[in-house]
Amino acid sequence: MKYTWAGATHVGRVRTNNEDVFAPTTDGLSSGPAVFAVADGMGGHVAGEVASKLAIEAAMETDGNALDRVLAGNSRVVEAIIADPSLGGMGTTLTLIALSTDGALDLAHIGDSRAYRLRGGVMEQLTSDHTLVAELVAEGRLDPKEVRAHPQRNLITRVIGMGKKIEPDQMSDRALDGDRLLLCSDGLSSMLEDSKIAGLLGASTPEEAVWSMIEAANNAGGEDNITVIVVDTRA
């Protein structure tokens, strides 16, 4: 399988610093294996950026499956907090996809960054948000249409840095010829409806798709940092 990808991040129109980190930071082409990750830090002006950077570094340096990589990211962040108590309270989301040479797809995820797949013109969200409002929707206690206006829509229930033991989601699947994958921080998904994201994701090249989504999120308000990775899979 051949993978072609592009990625970028933007501070948005409201924030003054960017706490998102992604990898790889350069566009590329590979027959695999390939690993892609997005982290959205939180916990203070500097600490959020520290958490996301540490988590991404550890995840990309670790050998193993997607879950091993996310757990390594958590260990790195927790160790940093123990070594420097002033960093207490920092944390980060982490959504990571590992693709093998034969198309096997391994995903691990914690927080509210997202992974999507566009297949045959239909976009599917591969991750579930670890947020209070997502739990309320799943329990039937909140209408999905009310999520964007909910006062606690940004409350995350699972995140890297909460402790030594975390519970990431994990899934295994297979990439098919013609699939397009998207990893993004909530600076994209909180600004644009899925239908809008799906339309922009179909742009002719990964790079064009990345920048069209960042531009659209900024035009919609750019209330958060925006990070996007798009990966094409070809047999």
Side-chain angles (χ1 to χ4, degrees):
M1 194 70 75
K2 294 181 180 178
Y3 307 111
T4 305
W5 66 87
T9 188
H10 193 278
V11 69
R13 291 190 166 184
V14 175
R15 305 279 177 103
T16 57
N17 65 309
N18 194 339
E19 296 182 328
D20 287 0
V21 178
F22 71 103
T25 55
T26 55
D27 301 350
L29 169 66
S30 171
S31 58
V35 180
F36 306 94
V38 168
D40 179 358
M42 62 204 70
H45 181 73
V46 176
E49 184 177 339
V50 171
S52 55
K53 182 175 184 291
L54 290 173
I56 288 284
E57 287 177 347
M60 300 304 286
E61 291 168 2
T62 298
D63 292 326
N65 62 25
L67 180 60
D68 291 336
R69 292 173 182 272
V70 170
L71 293 176
N74 184 66
S75 295
R76 184 76 59 86
V77 171
V78 171
E79 289 166 3
I81 294 171
I82 292 172
D84 183 357
S86 70
L87 298 175
M90 75 174 178
T92 184
T93 70
L94 183 55
T95 299
L96 184 146
I97 289 179
L99 295 166
S100 68
T101 55
D102 65 357
L105 183 155
D106 189 25
L107 181 153
H109 156 78
I110 189 166
D112 66 348
S113 297
R114 292 181 177 180
Y116 295 89
R117 176 174 57 205
L118 184 66
R119 174 178 288 174
V122 178
M123 190 177 77
E124 173 188 7
Q125 185 176 332
L126 301 180
T127 54
S128 298
D129 294 345
H130 298 147
T131 60
L132 175 64
V133 291
E135 292 178 1
L136 293 175
V137 169
E139 294 168 0
R141 297 166 57 193
L142 182 67
D143 189 315
K145 296 179 181 178
E146 299 174 348
V147 167
R148 290 180 181 275
H150 197 282
Q152 294 178 303
R153 64 187 179 280
N154 295 322
L155 182 58
I156 300 179
T157 55
R158 279 192 262 170
V159 70
I160 278 180
M162 291 182 71
K164 292 184 177 180
K165 292 184 178 181
I166 57 171
E167 297 182 15
D169 292 340
Q170 184 182 29
M171 68 167 284
S172 297
D173 207 327
R174 185 161 294 278
L176 301 181
D177 180 38
D179 283 354
R180 176 165 281 188
L181 304 172
L182 164 65
L183 287 79
C184 63
S185 63
D186 72 330
L188 179 73
S189 57
S190 64
M191 290 288 96
L192 304 178
E193 298 285 353
D194 278 6
S195 58
K196 177 69 172 178
I197 293 174
L200 296 170
L201 184 56
S204 59
T205 69
E207 183 180 16
E208 288 172 351
V210 164
W211 285 106
S212 65
M213 284 184 277
I214 289 175
E215 182 180 13
N218 273 323
N219 288 340
E223 296 175 3
D224 200 351
N225 308 145
I226 309 155
T227 300
V228 180
I229 301 174
V230 174
V231 185
D232 276 350
T233 67
R234 296 290 183 268

